[in-house]
Amino acid sequence: MKGKVLTLDQLLGLDKYVIDEQGHIKVNQALCASCELKPCLTVCPAGVYSLVEDRIIANHENCLECGTCIIACNVGGRTCIEWKNPRGSYGISFRYG
Ligand code: SF4
Ligand code: SF4
């Protein structure tokens, strides 16, 4: 008798995570206001960040957890992005979280 056939999501453990409803990326708008280049708008490969009426909005559900935004966001030596892994111990582990 054959064993149970697993889906790709099950093999990768991706069926176990729950993406939070609240958003796992927060940005400090006060720091964003002093950020002239706003690299987050261009470096994110998933297009998570957008500028809406002078505010940086993070569409977190598209996040690939690559960490590029943390590297690029550098306001006076600090990052204004607070990033939390939405997938617990499953999925891709964020390197800087
Ligand atoms: S790079 Fe960081 S500080 Fe600059 S606008 Fe984007 S999130 Fe805000
Ligand atoms: S971790 Fe990567 S995919 Fe997620 S918001 Fe940052 S740059 Fe975009």
Side-chain angles (χ1 to χ4, degrees), residues 51-95:
L51 188 62
V52 178
E53 296 177 353
D54 295 331
R55 289 175 65 87
I56 293 293
I57 305 298
N59 302 304
H60 62 92
E61 63 272 13
N62 296 334
C63 180
L64 303 170
E65 305 176 29
C66 68
T68 308
C69 58
I70 300 288
I71 297 169
C73 176
N74 193 353
V75 187
R78 295 174 292 171
T79 176
C80 82
I81 298 175
E82 182 187 333
W83 200 102
K84 292 178 184 167
N85 192 323
R87 300 174 187 181
S89 59
Y90 299 103
I92 305 166
S93 291
F94 187 61
R95 295 182 296 279

